[in-house]
Amino acid sequence: MNSNFVIAVEAVIPLFCLMFIGIMVKKYHLLSSIELVHLNKMVFEVFFSIMMFYNIYTTDLASTLRPKLMIFGAAALFVIYIAAFSLVCFFEKDNRRRGAMIQAIFRSNFVLMGIPLVSNIFGDDAIAVPTMMIAIIVPLYNILGVFTLETFRGRKFAFWPIFIQVLKNPMIVGALLGAACLLIGLPIPKPILKPLGQITAATSPLALIILGASFEFGSSRKNKLQLGICVISRLLIVPAIVLTAAVLLGFRGIELVTLISIFCTPCAVASFAMAQQMDSDADLAGNCVVFTSLLSCFTIFFWILLFKELGMF
């Protein structure tokens, strides 16, 4: 029990230490809001793209490509999405809230918090497996997110323009370039590959610091019920359903922890930005990000400790 407790603590605490640094950066005004926006844009458009390229280019496909895991992850995401869409539409009548709530339930902060989580448990050499999942999960997040928000602001959903925009996502571009270079056996000189590796190592810590510095504590009183539903669904109900199915289907070790990193992490920061841009309830979306991020410190610890105690990894 003690050793499993320590492993769970070591997996979770580094994430929230980095976020706390970001909160202190904001508290002492070390970065202005404009500088924070530019820094965030640099991390997503440059650092994450390089991280995707490097992790895929340097991976051993034979040991990291997991078709069964990819199929299960995509299928589980669709099931959660359909369930969230159906239940939210039944209980909530306000279209602006509907879009924000559905996104909060199905869309997680997998890239920002999930990959560091896997790294904290298995080491940096193991993050190729969750990196592979990004190529499946992130496009689905984007397509389903846009479909949801367009539906509830009464506009037509255009698949191909959205699909093209997904292909332009820096993470997807980096993944495709990394896969192409790996498959054709393109040699990259060590003096070039080494700085790419250094940027990769810095990406997740910097992103988590920015996440902490980006927290905005909006008014949550008018959306208490909706916020409670989203927080409980995102952190407890969704993980319970997906991870139970995963265990029954035989997922263990790094595959199970990768699923934990996808389905147990808090609401995606991108859901707040999209809610702002697409006429959804941005206050509710922002509060979902803040509260799930803070409370996930305890829930992620619980899920890791539970499955470690059960001997699943």
Side-chain angles (χ1 to χ4, degrees):
M1 173 66 180
N2 287 339
S3 62
N4 291 338
F5 182 86
V6 170
I7 289 171
V9 168
E10 289 178 344
V12 173
I13 293 301
L15 306 181
F16 293 93
C17 284
L18 290 167
M19 290 168 59
F20 180 75
I21 291 171
I23 292 171
M24 290 298 101
V25 166
K26 180 176 182 176
K27 177 179 174 62
Y28 292 104
H29 307 290
L30 299 179
L31 287 172
S32 68
S33 57
I34 295 175
E35 290 169 336
L36 194 60
V37 168
H38 288 309
L39 187 59
N40 196 33
K41 186 175 182 181
M42 180 190 73
V43 170
F44 273 94
E45 294 190 1
V46 179
F47 280 46
F48 272 114
S49 181
I50 290 173
M51 182 187 76
M52 290 293 294
F53 176 89
Y54 181 85
N55 285 337
I56 290 178
Y57 178 79
T58 57
T59 194
D60 176 9
L61 282 178
S63 62
T64 57
L65 190 62
R66 314 286 175 99
K68 182 182 175 183
L69 178 65
M70 290 179 170
I71 293 170
F72 177 83
L77 179 57
F78 271 115
V79 170
I80 294 300
Y81 174 76
I82 292 168
F85 197 101
S86 303
L87 292 173
V88 169
C89 287
F90 181 78
F91 289 107
E92 178 59 54
K93 305 307 177 185
D94 185 338
N95 278 345
R96 292 184 73 251
R97 286 177 175 172
R98 282 175 169 177
M101 290 178 70
I102 293 167
Q103 270 214 118
I105 292 170
F106 87 86
R107 187 170 190 167
S108 76
N109 226 353
F110 166 44
V111 177
L112 276 183
M113 297 187 69
I115 290 180
L117 184 66
V118 175
S119 175
N120 290 342
I121 295 173
F122 292 101
D124 291 339
D125 294 339
I127 63 173
V129 174
T131 298
M132 287 286 182
M133 292 298 289
I134 290 176
I136 303 295
I137 299 299
V138 169
L140 288 178
Y141 278 163
N142 289 334
I143 292 170
L144 294 175
V146 173
F147 170 76
T148 302
L149 296 179
E150 289 287 14
T151 297
F152 292 116
R153 72 172 179 176
R155 297 192 182 181
K156 186 178 178 182
F157 176 76
F159 176 80
W160 288 111
I162 293 169
F163 183 71
I164 291 170
Q165 284 301 115
V166 168
L167 291 179
K168 292 180 180 179
N169 183 302
M171 286 186 287
I172 304 303
V173 171
L176 292 175
L177 286 175
C181 292
L182 177 63
L183 292 173
I184 66 175
L186 180 69
I188 297 180
K190 192 173 181 180
I192 295 177
L193 199 59
K194 183 177 180 180
L196 296 183
Q198 292 170 329
I199 291 172
T200 296
T203 299
S204 292
L206 183 56
L208 287 167
I209 291 170
I210 293 170
L211 175 61
S214 301
F215 278 165
E216 294 287 348
F217 292 89
S219 173
S220 59
R221 290 183 179 179
K222 63 180 180 180
N223 294 320
K224 277 195 300 185
L225 176 61
Q226 291 82 0
L227 179 60
I229 291 170
C230 292
V231 170
I232 293 170
S233 298
R234 176 68 253 158
L235 299 180
L236 296 176
I237 297 175
V238 169
I241 294 170
V242 175
L243 297 179
T244 299
V247 169
L248 292 175
L249 289 172
F251 288 103
R252 300 290 187 273
I254 191 170
E255 292 186 342
L256 182 62
V257 175
T258 296
L259 292 171
I260 291 174
S261 75
I262 297 171
F263 293 100
C264 297
T265 43
C267 299
V269 177
S271 63
F272 169 64
M274 287 181 65
Q276 279 185 316
Q277 296 165 15
M278 299 179 69
D279 303 325
S280 186
D281 191 329
D283 284 342
L284 176 58
N287 278 309
C288 286
V289 173
V290 171
F291 281 90
T292 56
S293 296
L294 295 176
L295 294 174
S296 66
C297 175
F298 305 101
T299 57
I300 292 174
F301 171 82
F302 165 77
W303 292 116
I304 291 172
L305 181 60
L306 173 65
F307 288 105
K308 188 63 180 172
E309 281 290 299
L310 293 173
M312 298 297 172
F313 64 89

